[in-house]
Amino acid sequence: MAVEKCASRVLVLLSQLERLNEEPKVSDTDAIRQITGKILHIIQTQEKTRKEIVSKGSSGMEVILSSLENTRDLQTTLNILSILNELLTVGGGRRTGVFVSKGGTAILLQLLLSSSKDLPMNEELMLQIHSLLVKVGPKDRKFGVKARLNGALNVTVNLVKRNLQNSKLLLPCLQVLRVYAGNLVNAVSLGKSGTLELMFEIIGPYSKKNTTLLKVALDTLAALLKSKMNARRAVDRGYLPTLLAIYQDWHRNDTRHCHLIIRKSILGCIKNLTTIKLGRKAFIDANGMRILYNTSTECLSVRTLDPLVNTSSLIMRKCFPKNRLPLLTIKSIYQHPLSHVPSGGPVAQLYSQPPEMDDVVDESDENEATEVDTENEEDETEDNNENDDIETDINKLRPRQMQTRPFDELRVYERFCVEFTKDFKDYDFENCRAVFHPSSVNQDLNGPIIIPTTTLTSVRSPNRRQQLESVQLPKPTESPTELDGISLAKTPESKPDPDLVCSLGRLVLDGVDSVNGDCDDRSQDESGEQGLLVVPDTAAVLPLHDPDLYLEMVKSTRSVPIYTEVAYPDYFGHVGLDLREPIVERVYGVQRMKIFQDIERLIHPFDILDKVVYDLDNQSCPVIDNGNSLKFTSKFESGNLRKAIQVRKFEYDLILNSDINSNHYHQWFYFEVSNMRPGVRYRFNIINCEKSNSQFNYGMQVLMYSVQEAINGRPHWVRTGSDICYYKNHFSRSSIAAGGQKGKSYFTMTFTVTFQHKDDVCYFAYHYPYTFSTLKMHLQKLRALQTAQIYYREDELCQTLGGNSCPLLTITAMPESSSDDHIDQFRSRPVVFLSARVHPGETNSSWVMKGSLEFLMSSSPKAQSLRESYIFKIVPMLNPDGVINGNHRCSLSGEDLNRQWQNPNAELHPTIYHAKSLLQYLRATGRTPLVFCDYHGHSRKKNVFMYGCSIKETVWQSNANTSSCDLQEDLGYRTLPKLLSQIAPAFSLSSCSFVVERSKEATARVVVWREIGVQRSYTMESTLCGCDQGKYKGLQIGTQELEEMGALFCVGLLRLKRFTSPLEVHNHKSHVLDIENDLIDTRSIPNISSSTTYVLDEDEPAFLEEVDYSAESNDENDPVLEPELQDNLALPGPNSDSGV
C-alpha cells in the first residue's frame, strides 16, 4: 500500500512538473526545484517507483527531459541529473533505450557544451553529466557522431587536462573518452587533440594506488589505438617500448596476481599498436618477442594467468616476421601443357605473373588516411551480408530445361545407352553364365611377385617401395621356401633374414603359428643381402584386392611425374579395422605449446637445424645424410609431399605441392617415412595449409600405415598422432598469389607420432587413400562377380587430359526373358545417375562409391530388387588425373571441375563435358534421371549429409518477400534424405541443406537440378573426421562405415521406389514426410552465410565450428574467450556442427 502511494505520488509530481513546463515563469523556478527534489527522494527510497516513470504509456521520461532542457537553475539541473542517474543505474538497459529514443543524448550533450562556458565550471555538474554519458553512450548507435558534431569531444579532453590530479572527476571523463573513441573518426580527432599524451601521463609503473583509474586509462588508450593513425603517432613517439617496460614492471611486482586485469589491459594496448607494420617493427626492435616470451613462460604454471599467455601469444604470432615459404616458387612443381588456355582463366593468370611477384610477401597496411565514420554502416552491412550468397531471384531458381545442344550432336551418346534399344533376342536366358577373364591382365603372371623388403644390416635402411622395374619372376633354378603358401624366394648366394621369416609366417593368417618354430635363434649374418617377400593371396580378407592385378593397373596409369614406384598400402591393400577409433579430445594448452615452440625459432635461431632432407624441386642433387634424419618420399600415385626440412632433431616442417597448373589448394597429403627410431616422439608440421580451420582441431587424426605391421598380419590404415592442432603460422604469400586477398597467411597442421618398429617404413595420409589404379582393379574384380541376372557394362566415357580413361558403368538387372513385356519393363526402369571423386582429395567419396558398387553387384535379394527397379549410370571417378597426380581440388587444367558444369569445355574439362552431355541425352530421350547424386567429402563438418535444391527453402532462408503461388513445388526432394536418416547410422538429416547459393550455381547439383530438371539432385557429403550423433557418435569414421554408407544409400533408393510409384505415392506421402513440419523445423537449421573464398571453396554452407585462427583479429573480446587460443574451450559442443 505504501509503495502504491509513493507511485501515485510520483505521478502527481510529474503532472505538476509537466504543467509548469508548459507555462514557464520565473517565479516557478523554486517550485520546479522542490518538485524535482521530491521526485529524487522518492525514487531513491522506493525502487519500484522507477518503473512508473518509464512504464509503457507513461510520459514521465519526456517530462523529465523537457525540464532538463528548459531549466537554467543549477540545483534543478543537478536534481534532474540525479534522477536520471538513479533511473539508468539498476536494470537500466531498457530504460536507457527509452532515454535515447526520447532524444536524451542530444539534451545531455547540449547541456555539457553550455555548462562548459560557465566559468568556473561546476565540478558536481560535470561529474553528473559524464556519469550519465557513460551509461547512455554504449546504447546510442549514433553517440559518436552526435558528440563530435556537438563539440563535446574537446570539452571532455579539456576537463581531463585540468583534472589530472582529481581522480573523482577524472574517472568518468576517461570513461566517456573511451566511448567517444569507439567511433573511428572520433579516435583520430582525439589523437590530434593530444589525448594519447594525456593517457601516458596517467599510465605508469606498478602502483597499488588508483588502479581503477589506471584500468580505465588503459582501456581508453586501447580504444584510441584501434585507429591506425593513432597507432602510428604512438609508435613515432616511442610509446611501444614504454608499454613493454610498464608491462614488465607490473609482471615483476604483481607477484600475487592481484592486478591481472591491468596487465591484460597493457597487453591490449600493445596488441592494437602491432596491427600496423610500423608497430610490428617497433615491437621487434624493442626486443618485444623475448620480453613477452619470457614473461609468458613464467606464467604457464598458473592457470589463472592464461589470459595473459593467450594475448601475449597472439601478439607474438602477429609480430613474427612474415616469411615466404622456403620454395623457389609456390607454383606446382609439375606442369601439364594445355592445348587451350582461356585468357583470364586461372592458368593464364598464373603464368602471366612476373617471376619476381610469384611469392612476394605483402605486409602493407590498409590506407590509414581513409579512416571514415563507418560505425553505422557496419551493422547494416552485417545484416545485409548474412544471406548475401543465397539466390533470391525466383526466375533463376526455377528449373529451366534448355536444349543447349542439338539432338544430332547428342546422338553420339546413344552408345552409352544401348540397353534402351537392345532386344536380347540372341541371349540365352536359361544357360548363360557370365565368366570374366580380365583382358588387360598379363596372363603370364602366374608366378609370385617378388619384392625387395628388407636388408639384414641396420645401417642400410630398407627400400620397401615396389618399383615397376624390380618386378621379376623366380628363375627355374630357384627353390622358394614355402611357408604355408607364403614363399621366401632366395636369390643366389643370399640368406633369408630369420626375423623376416618369422614375421612373414604371420602375414594375414589368423591363428597360424610360425612355421619355422622358435624364432629367437636368430642369425648373426649381416651381409646386407636382401630377403625377398612373396605376397600371399589375401582374397579371403580383401575379395576385391589383388596385388598382381593392381600392378597391371598401375602400368596403364599415366601420370605427369611418370611415377615408377608403388606405395605399399596400395599394393598390399587395407583391411578395415573392427576396432572403433574414438574422436580424440585435445589436451588443454597443446596449441599454445606448439606456437611457443615456433616462436622459439626466432628467439633461439642457433638451435634450428634447417636441414633439407627431401626436395622435389632439387631432385638432381641428392640429400647428404648421416643416418640421423628421417627419409621421405611421395613419388608414387596420389602422393603429395614437396619438401621436408628438419628443423630440430626430431621435428620436421613439411610442404605440400600445389595442384598441377596451380599455386594453391594444399590439403591432401600422402607420403612415406623411413629410417625412424622406435620410441621417439617425432613432430611433423605441414606448414602450407590454406583453410582457415580444420577438423584436426576437433578430434580428427592423421592416418598411418606401417609396412612392418602389414607384414605382421595387420595391413591397416590406423588413426594416429597426438598433440594435433591447426593454427595460423608466420608464412605468407603475396596478394597476387592469394587471388587478390591481402596478407594471406598459411596455416600449420601439426601432429606428433611415436614409431613402434625400428627400420619400419610408414605412410601418412590425410584420409584413406584410394588411387585410380585401385579403382581400375576394383572394377576388374567387380566384373568378375557378374552373374546371369546382372546387366553390367563398362564404357569409356572419355579420355582425360592426362590420357587416362574415365570409366562409365551401367548396372541393372537382366530382363527375365526376351518377350516384349519383359523388354518393355526393362527399358521403362527409371535412371539413377551417380558420380564421385570430382575433388581428388576427398578420397572418402571413393570408399562410399565402393560400397555402392559392391552392393549393386552383390547377389543379395535386396540388390537384385534394386537392379530390377533402376538402371544405374555411374561415373565412379570424375577426376582421374587429379587423383593420380596427388591433387587436392583440381584437374590438370588447374580448375575445380565442380565449378565447370554450366559451360564445360570439351578440351579442358572432358569428363564434365561428356557427363553433362550424357545427362542431356537422357533428358532429350525422355529418360531424365529420377535421382542424381554426386559423392563428396567434407573437411569441416561431421556425419554424412546431403545438399539438395529447393525453391521454397531458399526463399524462406533469404527472407525474401514472395507470394505463396511462387513457392509451389513438389517436396519429394526430401524423401531420400529422410529415408537415409532412418536407416544409415552415420547420416544426419539436421545437417542437410536444400538452399541454392549463387556461388554454387555452376556445381553439378545445381546445374543438374536447374538445366536437366532432376528434382532429386544431391551432393552427398561424407565427413573426413567422424560423427557426433547416432550409433557412431564420438567415433572417427573408417572405410567400413563409409562403405556401409554407400550400401545403405542403395537401400534408401530401393525404399524410395515405393514413394515414387504413381500407385503408391498417395498412400505413403503423409507417412514418410511431415513436409511442412520438416520445412518449418529446418528453417532455423542452415545458417547459409558462407561467404565463398578464393581458396578451397567448398560445396558447403557456413560451418558452425569455424573458428578465427587469425592473429590479425581486432576483436574486443576478452582474450580468455578468443577461440584461437583457448584450446579446450574452442572444442565443439555436442551439437556444434550438425545443425548449422
Side-chain angles (χ1 to χ4, degrees), residues 32-60:
I32 294 174
R33 186 187 306 141
Q34 291 177 6
I35 292 173
T36 54
K38 291 177 181 179
I39 295 174
L40 175 60
H41 175 73
I42 292 173
I43 66 172
Q44 284 177 334
T45 56
Q46 297 292 336
E47 183 179 336
K48 292 187 178 180
T49 58
R50 302 172 188 177
K51 298 180 181 179
E52 295 293 328
I53 299 177
V54 292
S55 62
K56 190 173 182 180
S58 172
S59 59

Side-chain angles (χ1 to χ4, degrees), residues 999-1028:
S999 61
K1000 307 301 189 298
E1001 62 182 2
T1003 61
R1005 164 178 60 100
V1006 177
V1007 170
V1008 172
W1009 171 71
R1010 183 178 286 167
E1011 296 184 19
I1012 309 300
V1014 179
Q1015 182 201 28
R1016 297 174 178 86
S1017 179
Y1018 306 105
T1019 297
M1020 187 165 74
E1021 302 273 2
S1022 299
T1023 179
L1024 292 162
C1025 178
C1027 298
D1028 60 10

Side-chain angles (χ1 to χ4, degrees), residues 68 141 161 359 390 394 435 494 559 562 625 638 651 683 738 873 882 911 924 958 987 992 1007 1019 1027 1110 1116:
L68 180 62
R141 291 176 56 191
K161 290 178 180 178
D359 194 14
I390 299 178
I394 296 296
V435 180
S494 68
S559 62
I562 313 179
D625 180 40
S638 294
E651 181 178 354
R683 176 182 172 183
K873 296 289 182 182
T911 60
S958 65
F987 194 88
C992 296
V1007 170
T1019 297
C1027 298
S1110 167
E1116 291 185 312

Side-chain angles (χ1 to χ4, degrees), residues 427-446:
Y427 189 83
D428 186 353
F429 286 91
E430 293 183 0
N431 300 319
C432 181
R433 292 292 182 271
V435 180
F436 172 59
H437 300 284
S439 58
S440 62
V441 179
N442 187 344
Q443 297 300 316
D444 295 331
L445 287 178
N446 296 321

Side-chain angles (χ1 to χ4, degrees), residues 248 283 286-296 316 599 602-605:
Q248 276 185 296
F283 180 84
N287 205 19
M289 294 291 284
R290 187 178 295 274
I291 290 172
L292 291 192
Y293 176 82
N294 291 337
T295 55
S296 300
M316 288 187 287
I599 292 170
L602 184 65
I603 298 175
H604 306 296

Side-chain angles (χ1 to χ4, degrees), residues 584-602:
V584 177
E585 182 177 350
R586 194 166 75 185
V587 178
Y588 180 84
V590 63
Q591 178 173 292
R592 185 175 59 196
M593 177 185 67
K594 299 297 183 183
I595 291 170
F596 272 61
Q597 290 175 3
D598 291 348
I599 292 170
E600 287 174 4
R601 300 188 189 189
L602 184 65

Side-chain angles (χ1 to χ4, degrees), residues 417-429 791 814-824 826-827:
C417 303
V418 295
E419 66 276 4
F420 295 130
T421 56
K422 188 176 180 63
D423 57 14
F424 295 93
K425 296 297 183 183
D426 56 348
Y427 189 83
D428 186 353
F429 286 91
Y791 181 95
M814 291 292 293
E816 293 184 26
S817 72
S818 58
S819 67
D820 291 343
D821 289 343
H822 287 155
I823 296 300
D824 288 343
F826 175 84
R827 294 176 180 175

Side-chain angles (χ1 to χ4, degrees), residues 9-22 31-32 34-35 38-39 63 67:
R9 177 65 174 156
V10 166
L11 296 179
V12 171
L13 291 172
L14 287 173
S15 299
Q16 293 176 6
L17 190 59
E18 185 175 16
R19 286 197 300 271
L20 292 173
N21 288 337
E22 292 173 356
I32 294 174
Q34 291 177 6
I35 292 173
K38 291 177 181 179
I39 295 174
V63 173
S67 300

